[in-house]
Amino acid sequence: MNKRNFISSLVVMAFFAFFFWQAQALKQSAAYWPKLICIVGIALSLANALIAGIKWTKEKDREGVFPLNKKQLLNSLILLAVAACWMFCIPRIGYLVSSFTATCILVLVFEPVKDRKHIVRDVIVTLIFSGLIYGLFALLGVHFPKGLLI
């Protein structure tokens, strides 16, 4: 377990370092909070890596580094693929349609009971959810150009 914690801490630290590097391009006033969050994240990740590394050497941890089994890895890849397709489709078919489609695909792929009743329920709930999100955006005054709505 400590080996996994050590390696995941290094990955998270690299994530924060990347965003800190990206924040360098911002104006000084706009970069203050992103840089602060990244510095805190790097410090906490480094502290976690140090603690996990010390425990790892003391306990002689023999666990594998990669914690996911094949099913979990497949589910993660499906989520990443749908998210990538969603981001690709937003400027092409619009936010609302692409969000509904991506949510519907995820709900249908991960539905444990795949019969007509559950599938219809999932699609209806996804439609209601998409409508509520659109309504919330309208209420908050978040307006998209007409081309991005459909």
Side-chain angles (χ1 to χ4, degrees), residues 18-96:
F18 173 75
F19 279 99
F20 183 83
W21 178 66
Q22 292 292 317
Q24 299 297 329
L26 298 172
K27 291 181 183 177
Q28 187 67 21
S29 59
Y32 179 74
W33 284 109
K35 285 182 180 179
L36 182 65
I37 291 169
C38 289
I39 289 169
V40 170
I42 290 170
L44 291 174
S45 298
L46 186 60
N48 192 38
L50 184 66
I51 291 168
I54 291 170
K55 287 182 179 179
W56 179 19
T57 56
K58 285 183 180 178
E59 296 173 6
K60 305 290 186 216
D61 197 0
R62 300 279 186 243
E63 256 186 54
V65 175
F66 197 68
L68 301 178
N69 61 31
K70 288 181 183 181
K71 178 71 173 164
Q72 292 169 328
L73 182 61
L74 177 64
N75 289 343
S76 300
L77 292 174
I78 290 170
L79 286 171
L80 286 173
V82 170
C85 289
W86 174 65
M87 288 186 286
F88 177 78
C89 290
I90 286 176
R92 287 152 184 83
I93 63 173
Y95 174 79
L96 195 57

Side-chain angles (χ1 to χ4, degrees), residues 58-135:
K58 285 183 180 178
E59 296 173 6
K60 305 290 186 216
D61 197 0
R62 300 279 186 243
E63 256 186 54
V65 175
F66 197 68
L68 301 178
N69 61 31
K70 288 181 183 181
K71 178 71 173 164
Q72 292 169 328
L73 182 61
L74 177 64
N75 289 343
S76 300
L77 292 174
I78 290 170
L79 286 171
L80 286 173
V82 170
C85 289
W86 174 65
M87 288 186 286
F88 177 78
C89 290
I90 286 176
R92 287 152 184 83
I93 63 173
Y95 174 79
L96 195 57
V97 174
S98 61
S99 296
F100 167 75
T101 306
T103 305
C104 198
I105 289 170
L106 289 176
V107 167
L108 294 176
V109 166
F110 293 109
E111 171 63 55
V113 181
K114 296 188 191 307
D115 62 356
R116 182 178 166 85
K117 180 177 108 177
H118 287 88
I119 290 174
V120 169
R121 180 205 61 198
D122 291 343
V123 171
I124 290 171
V125 168
T126 303
L127 273 170
I128 292 169
F129 178 74
S130 297
L132 288 173
I133 292 296
Y134 179 74

